[in-house]
Amino acid sequence: MANIVSFEEHNAFGVQALIGTVFAEYQLTFEPKDYDSDLSRIPAACQGSGGAFWVIEEHGHVVGTTGVVPLSSGEAEIRRVYIHPAWRGRG
């Protein structure tokens, strides 16, 4: 059974691996040291601004991600919504 949990540093490798897999699936360029560098500093980029970042874990593996960051008192942006290809379509 999968669990949705708040991001912790031990999830960092799994988050990057998952997002890299999804980018490769769609033939996108994944740049964790450049454009996608927010993934190496999730606490500061997401959680530090009053937002949150969650991972979906199954048996210790990250199979999904999502984050939310406030833009103003009445608006928020949903970020980094990714699901591993094998997990899609499960309802």
Side-chain angles (χ1 to χ4, degrees), residues 1-16:
M1 181 167 159
N3 295 305
I4 300 172
V5 298
S6 292
F7 173 85
E8 295 181 7
E9 283 299 324
H10 72 270
N11 300 123
F13 177 81
V15 167
Q16 287 195 23

Side-chain angles (χ1 to χ4, degrees), residues 44-75:
C46 198
Q47 296 166 317
S49 63
F53 195 89
W54 299 274
V55 298
I56 303 169
E57 293 181 324
E58 183 179 60
H59 305 298
H61 298 288
V62 175
V63 297
T65 64
T66 191
V68 63
V69 175
L71 299 176
S72 69
S73 63
E75 296 178 302

Side-chain angles (χ1 to χ4, degrees), residues 18-19 22-23 56 63-66 79-84:
L18 168 66
I19 294 174
V22 174
F23 273 47
I56 303 169
V63 297
T65 64
T66 191
R79 294 185 177 175
R80 300 294 188 175
V81 179
Y82 296 100
I83 301 292
H84 192 279

